[in-house]
Structures are given as C-alpha cells and as structure tokens.
Amino acid sequence: MKLNDELKKTLIVLSAATLLGTGVVVSGGASGLSLSIAAASGQLTAVPTDQKLQKELQTLVAGLKEGTYLAYYVRDKVSNPQDTISFSGKGFVFKDYKSFAAKFKALKGPATPQPGNLPKGFALATAIIYPPSVANDSELYLQLEQELKAAAAGDPNKQLFSKIISWSQTNLSMQLYAKGKASFSIVTGVPPAKLPEGAVPFVRASETKKELTVNGRKVILTTDSAKDASFNTKLVWLDKSGAIQYTLSDNRVSKLTTNEMLAVAKSMIK
C-alpha cells in the first residue's frame, strides 16, 4: 500500500502523540523515516542554529542507511546549551507483518501481537522498528560523551562530531494500519517514567479518561474532542509483566468508533 501525504504527516505527528514518553521524535517523512532520539531521561536533541552547521548535520543524517544509529555532539552554546550528546538514526521499515515480527524478535523485542478484528478496509501500511533510546546516565552515553568531546578538544576549528554506533536490541516499534487517509497505529514500548511524588500529570481539558477491563487486563481509554487533537481515541495497556506498554490510537481523519477500537485491542490482549 502506497503511503499518501496524509499518512506521511501521521508518521511525523506520532512523535508528539502516540509515541509520547518513549523519547522518539520522528523528524522526517515516511520515505526517509529519519529519527531523532533523545535520551530516556528527556534530554533535548541539539539542533544547530547556524545554517551551515545545520546543513552539515542534515546531510549526515540523510546519508544514514536503514537500521543505522548515530551519536553526535554539537559544540555550540546556543543550540546545545546543556552541552549534551544527541542521537539520530533510521529504523527498519517493513510492509508485511511477518517480516516485521521476525526482525523485532531477532532484536530481542517483546511480543508484537498482530491485531485482529480489523475494521473493514483497513490493512497494514507500514511497520517500523526504532533504534533504542540512550539514557544520559548510562555507560554507553558516558563513553560516547567522553569520546566525542575528546575529539572536539583536539579540533578547535570543527563544531560537529559524530560516531556510528551499533545496536542489537530494542523494544520500540510501531504498526500503522490505514484505509485511505484514515489510520490507526499500535506502538510497543516501555511505559513512561513515573512522575515524582506529588507531581500532577498534564491532562488536556478536552480529554476524557476512563479505566476499562479487557480480557482481564486494565486498559486506559482516552478520547479527545478538540479540533487540534492528534487522535480521537487512544487505548493504553501493559503486558502481564508490566514492563511493556501498548498504545493503540487513531488519527483525526478516522471515523472509527470506540467499540471498533476496543475490538482491535481485545484481539491483542491475551
């Protein structure tokens, strides 16, 4: 199935909506699926303000091959005031569920149930496996920080320093099912970090949340009536271990009912 412009926009919006809390920001269209991945702690990805430097980074990222992960350091106090290391990469993209599930399993990803009870006319448009996020207190991050900043210290005339890093496992993926401009996605990933004690989660005034039980599992149903909302209906649940979160949501063009969305979720929750 060929992705139209609306679906390309959907993939971009997923960073701020369905993928919220995963640390992944989709910064390119469906054709490139270039990913900018912040640390799990929520670090901001450094985006150079200098046009020449920005073009250099864009060229570097555009040249990445599928499944490639890049760590980079921008020596610039304006665009990188926290002086952090950033990450960008391209995930693996699939057009059929079998290939996607096999690759995800090979990367030690969790079970990725194929949804049943698909609404009439909906079919898999694309499935993506994203590179993992790198926490800024992890051993890998600290090692990359040391290497890249050492390289920067040795070359005072350069501002952008990078290194390709390998990855052999991840737990973040997305399946996108579409019918024309309407679509819904299934994101598999880790639950967002718990808020500090006493903190109150932000909830849009237009959102309505309800707790349901589906096949014995707790499911949080969220609907959003605002015109600028990124979804109509969102269903979130955890696997039996509580370590993996599944998020099922549709786009604003979708006319799917809550019952149709629940039917899809029910087919996945065993």
Side-chain angles (χ1 to χ4, degrees), residues 206-225:
S206 55
E207 286 186 0
T208 300
K209 290 184 179 291
K210 184 186 299 184
E211 186 176 311
L212 307 172
T213 300
V214 178
N215 290 346
R217 197 81 53 83
K218 183 174 79 171
V219 175
I220 303 300
L221 165 66
T222 304
T223 56
D224 197 327
S225 59

Side-chain angles (χ1 to χ4, degrees), residues 80-95:
N80 188 16
Q82 296 179 330
D83 201 38
T84 56
I85 304 300
S86 300
F87 301 86
S88 188
K90 288 187 178 178
F92 292 101
V93 184
F94 304 87
K95 296 300 181 184

Side-chain angles (χ1 to χ4, degrees), residues 10 62 117 123 129 136:
T10 298
N117 301 329
I129 298 175
N136 60 8

Side-chain angles (χ1 to χ4, degrees), residues 136-265:
N136 60 8
D137 60 353
S138 67
E139 184 178 341
L140 176 58
Y141 180 93
L142 296 175
Q143 177 186 333
L144 290 167
E145 181 180 44
Q146 184 178 19
E147 289 182 18
L148 292 173
K149 288 187 177 181
D155 191 346
N157 298 317
K158 191 176 177 182
Q159 287 182 284
L160 178 61
F161 302 85
S162 63
K163 180 180 180 178
I164 297 292
I165 57 177
S166 61
W167 54 290
S168 58
Q169 59 185 76
T170 186
N171 51 27
L172 183 59
S173 71
M174 181 194 70
Q175 301 174 56
L176 185 73
Y177 292 80
K179 176 186 178 183
K181 294 181 179 180
S183 67
F184 68 85
S185 64
I186 301 162
V187 174
T188 301
V190 296
K194 291 184 178 179
L195 293 173
E197 187 175 349
V200 179
F202 172 75
V203 178
R204 288 161 55 95
S206 55
E207 286 186 0
T208 300
K209 290 184 179 291
K210 184 186 299 184
E211 186 176 311
L212 307 172
T213 300
V214 178
N215 290 346
R217 197 81 53 83
K218 183 174 79 171
V219 175
I220 303 300
L221 165 66
T222 304
T223 56
D224 197 327
S225 59
K227 290 183 178 179
D228 65 342
S230 57
F231 64 88
N232 296 313
T233 304
K234 180 169 67 175
L235 296 162
V236 179
W237 67 93
L238 301 176
D239 69 348
K240 290 182 180 179
S241 70
I244 299 299
Q245 176 176 290
Y246 296 95
T247 303
L248 166 66
S249 63
D250 61 351
N251 67 354
R252 291 296 289 175
V253 181
S254 163
K255 301 297 182 182
L256 295 175
T257 65
T258 298
N259 284 338
E260 286 176 312
M261 294 286 282
L262 279 168
V264 175

